[in-house]
Amino acid sequence: MPIYEYRCPRCDVFEVVRAMGAAPGVDACPTCGEPARRRFTAPHLARTGTAAFQLIDATHRSASEPQVVSGPLPSAGAPRTQPFSSNPLHRKLPRP
Ligand SMILES: [Zn+2]
């Protein structure tokens, strides 16, 4: 996700990570709450490849696009192979 810069009239410049095109022109300053105007700057392409940026990006992305789990959890261990009942008569019951 891109980083948008805002300039607060009271404080200084602050950065916000938002989805592409989701950043408003005016946003509230996280320090004082004053409305801050968005700055148009060059993209921070040098920071997009770092491990810290990828972690921040993955964290923000997981809020709206959680990863799909396709298998059992690693802590679940081996699948259960024994039947639920040890009574041999239960084996003759119809199966779905
Ligand atoms: Zn401020």
Side-chain angles (χ1 to χ4, degrees):
M1 281 194 229
I3 299 173
Y4 294 95
E5 284 188 4
Y6 290 86
R7 176 179 293 280
C8 176
R10 262 197 213 171
C11 311
D12 198 13
V13 174
F14 63 93
E15 297 177 339
V16 176
V17 177
R18 291 259 167 84
M20 186 78 72
V26 177
D27 201 359
C29 174
T31 308
C32 66
E34 284 281 322
R37 292 185 56 112
R38 194 169 112 197
R39 293 179 63 198
F40 290 94
T41 59
H44 299 281
L45 296 178
R47 293 167 53 177
T48 56
T50 62
F53 186 85
Q54 290 175 355
L55 177 63
I56 292 171
D57 195 28
T59 303
H60 283 278
R61 197 178 326 115
S62 67
S64 60
E65 304 166 17
Q67 292 182 345
V68 177
V69 178
S70 61
L73 295 175
S75 62
R80 188 178 178 142
T81 57
Q82 293 184 351
F84 291 101
S85 172
S86 61
N87 189 338
L89 293 176
H90 289 170
R91 293 183 188 152
K92 295 180 180 178
L93 290 174
R95 306 259 174 195

